[in-house]
Amino acid sequence: MAMATTTQESAGEAPPPPPLPNPSTGSANPAASLPALWGYLQPALDHMVRSPTNSPSKAPAIEVSYHMGVHTAVYNYFTSQSEQVAPPTGPNFRNGGLSPPVQDKGKASGTDLYDQLDRYYADAAREIFLGAPTDDSSLVHYLVPCFNRYSAGAQAVSRLLNYVNRHYVKRAVDEDRGWLRLADIFDEVMRTIRANDDRERIHRRLRERRTEELRKFGYVEGASAAELAQVEEYAEAASAPDRVVHLTAVAYRRFRIEVLEPLLNVPKMKGTGKKKKKPPQNGEKPPMPKGRLARSVKELLESKGGDEEEKRRLAGGLAFTLRACGIKVDHPLRKKLDKYMTPPEETESTNAT
């Protein structure tokens, strides 16, 4: 996968690549089938997500005619699928039941395209992982620009395919197939409800339980609607792949699964017996963390000399990457980076309160 330039790039950057033109389809109908639609979409996705660029925070563009062509093709594809799917006969989440019948979930219009996009991001993220340097000292330097480039592409694709968000993702959430489902919180909520509680109190408890989940990703009371939506996207990225989420969160979730988690995981030691760790003797350094990414962060933050501004930029960039991809606020590496990025005076003020 061709990635963005690194921190060594000079100020004399090359101009961005020209917008990708609308590919000729001849008399073929891109909305005729999933393979036809994907063949029309993929050049745009590759251009936005994978093509090299000197501006990793901004995805390369496609021509307006291509953008409109994609919107039309996706709309027509969804419309043709909807006509082929029989309306559900059982109760669903919106009209009083808990969830749609199982047989209808697999036939939902747009599921195949959504799943194809998920596979696309899995492949793109895996390429980034496979391209990671073997040297721990340069891992953070590699990951931050890679994620910036990947994120810019994912956001551009989400805007391009906003019809999928509005038509498929929104409907799936309404049908209780989103990141947080009623079954996830129902049992715990029911344990706190009394027999004489009215409907309003039950709904309030459900909202409170949802808020408790969002706090794991940084939600604080009094946050604005925009901040709440942002935190919910973090929670979506932390969800399992079977949960239907916004397309940007689909990309971030795959980056977490394919890139971050393998780098955060501690490799299993050979042998079955557990040896007690000896405490460090005088003058000895404590043992290094086992996960590759943890080791890279430790080396970055504890390095002497060098460009301190660049060090903070990389630490802040990785902190954002972890946050955006659904790593919870209590994860040790997030806490370490957040503490490093917090000014001392702010830390003292927090401790005082």
Side-chain angles (χ1 to χ4, degrees):
M1 178 178 181
M3 294 315 308
T5 53
T6 63
T7 55
Q8 284 78 27
E9 285 181 325
S10 63
E13 295 179 342
L20 187 68
N22 192 358
S24 173
T25 59
S27 59
N29 178 13
S33 65
L34 180 63
L37 179 63
W38 191 252
Y40 183 60
L41 292 179
Q42 188 169 357
L45 304 189
D46 286 342
H47 187 66
M48 291 176 166
V49 177
R50 285 178 153 120
S51 63
T53 174
N54 286 334
S55 302
S57 61
K58 184 177 181 180
I62 64 174
E63 287 187 354
V64 174
S65 62
Y66 195 4
H67 193 288
M68 295 303 297
V70 167
H71 178 83
T72 301
V74 171
Y75 173 83
N76 290 339
Y77 181 72
F78 271 66
T79 301
S80 63
Q81 276 203 324
S82 298
E83 292 171 351
Q84 298 171 16
V85 176
T89 56
N92 60 38
F93 186 65
R94 284 179 289 183
N95 65 19
L98 295 181
S99 63
V102 173
Q103 64 269 25
D104 291 321
K105 288 182 180 179
K107 297 179 181 179
S109 171
T111 298
D112 53 357
L113 177 57
Y114 179 88
D115 290 344
Q116 183 70 30
L117 287 165
D118 184 47
R119 288 190 291 270
Y120 178 85
Y121 283 124
D123 290 343
R126 202 172 298 120
E127 288 175 11
I128 294 175
F129 175 73
L130 294 175
T134 57
D135 180 11
D136 291 342
S137 64
S138 56
L139 183 58
V140 175
H141 300 73
Y142 169 81
L143 275 184
V144 171
C146 279
F147 179 73
N148 289 343
R149 174 68 186 91
Y150 178 88
S151 174
Q155 292 179 51
V157 170
S158 184
R159 291 190 295 269
L160 175 68
L161 301 179
N162 192 43
Y163 188 80
V164 179
N165 288 321
R166 292 189 291 110
H167 178 84
Y168 177 75
V169 175
K170 184 179 183 303
R171 185 187 63 204
V173 172
D174 289 343
E175 294 173 348
D176 196 34
R177 292 189 285 138
W179 72 274
L180 184 65
R181 299 178 181 176
L182 187 60
D184 299 331
I185 61 177
F186 191 75
D187 290 343
E188 184 174 337
V189 170
M190 289 305 295
R191 287 197 295 269
T192 65
I193 292 177
R194 302 183 182 88
N196 60 345
D197 284 342
D198 58 16
R199 182 183 295 271
E200 175 55 34
R201 188 183 186 285
I202 295 174
H203 279 283
R204 184 169 66 251
R205 184 66 189 100
L206 286 169
R207 290 193 298 270
E208 290 170 353
R209 183 65 186 83
R210 180 174 175 274
T211 300
E212 290 170 14
E213 282 297 312
L214 290 175
R215 286 197 186 99
K216 298 176 183 179
F217 303 95
Y219 173 77
V220 293
E221 293 294 337
S224 67
E227 291 170 331
L228 174 61
Q230 186 66 77
V231 172
E232 184 154 7
E233 188 173 284
Y234 302 156
E236 288 181 328
S239 66
D242 67 326
R243 304 301 172 100
V244 179
V245 297
H246 190 275
L247 291 185
T248 307
V250 171
Y252 291 170
R253 180 168 64 190
R254 278 299 170 188
F255 196 91
R256 170 179 59 83
I257 294 171
E258 306 294 342
V259 181
L260 294 179
E261 288 183 351
L263 295 174
L264 289 168
N265 287 343
V266 176
K268 293 182 180 179
M269 301 295 292
K270 294 182 179 179
T272 56
K274 291 185 178 180
K275 296 181 179 180
K276 291 184 178 180
K277 295 181 180 179
K278 295 181 179 180
Q281 303 298 320
N282 291 336
E284 289 185 4
K285 294 183 178 180
M288 291 284 285
K290 300 291 177 58
R292 280 204 65 202
L293 191 53
R295 294 199 300 269
S296 182
V297 169
K298 179 180 175 65
E299 191 163 340
L300 172 71
L301 301 187
E302 296 181 1
S303 61
K304 303 298 182 182
D307 188 341
E308 288 298 318
E309 184 177 341
E310 175 68 3
K311 184 190 296 188
R312 288 188 64 82
R313 187 190 69 80
L314 288 169
L318 183 60
F320 173 76
T321 300
L322 297 178
R323 183 166 65 249
C325 294
I327 304 299
K328 296 179 181 179
V329 294
D330 61 354
H331 189 281
L333 193 56
R334 267 206 63 178
K335 291 167 71 174
K336 184 182 185 75
L337 288 166
D338 291 344
K339 181 179 179 181
Y340 176 80
M341 296 302 297
T342 303
E345 59 272 14
E346 186 173 327
T347 304
E348 293 173 4
S349 174
T350 303
N351 293 336
T353 58

